Amino acid sequence: MAIRLSVGSVNKILNKEVVEKPVLQILSYKQISGGGNERFRLLLSDGEACIQFAMLATQLNTLIHKGELERNTVICLDKYLCNEVQPG
């Protein structure tokens, strides 16, 4: 069964457009420090563009620890939130 990524969804999300349940691929992830809580930053791809500042919700960290979210895993986002970070 071929899995189709939601091509173009990364740019739509970054432009504040609503994308229903985008299908993306985790290219890599990295544990980041700071704030006292364990956090993971994800590199996600829609097959055309990448977003490198996606943060995994802390309540989903167990998916990484159990090996259920690995590099090259294809995921469907049921919920996401896009925050704009102020410079400085």
Side-chain angles (χ1 to χ4, degrees), residues 17-76:
E17 294 179 42
V18 176
V19 180
E20 292 293 325
K21 298 191 177 193
V23 178
L24 304 172
Q25 184 175 27
I26 299 173
L27 298 181
S28 68
Y29 63 86
K30 180 180 180 181
Q31 185 175 350
I32 61 170
S33 59
N37 292 330
E38 180 182 51
R39 299 297 309 256
F40 289 93
R41 184 175 66 203
L42 307 175
L43 174 60
L44 300 175
S45 172
D46 65 6
E48 180 178 84
C50 295
I51 183 165
Q52 57 183 338
F53 299 109
M55 300 296 294
L56 183 67
T58 55
Q59 58 267 42
L60 299 176
N61 285 354
T62 57
L63 295 176
I64 288 181
H65 295 299
K66 291 179 182 178
E68 293 178 28
L69 282 184
E70 299 178 334
R71 288 168 179 84
N72 300 316
T73 301
V74 175
I75 60 172
C76 177

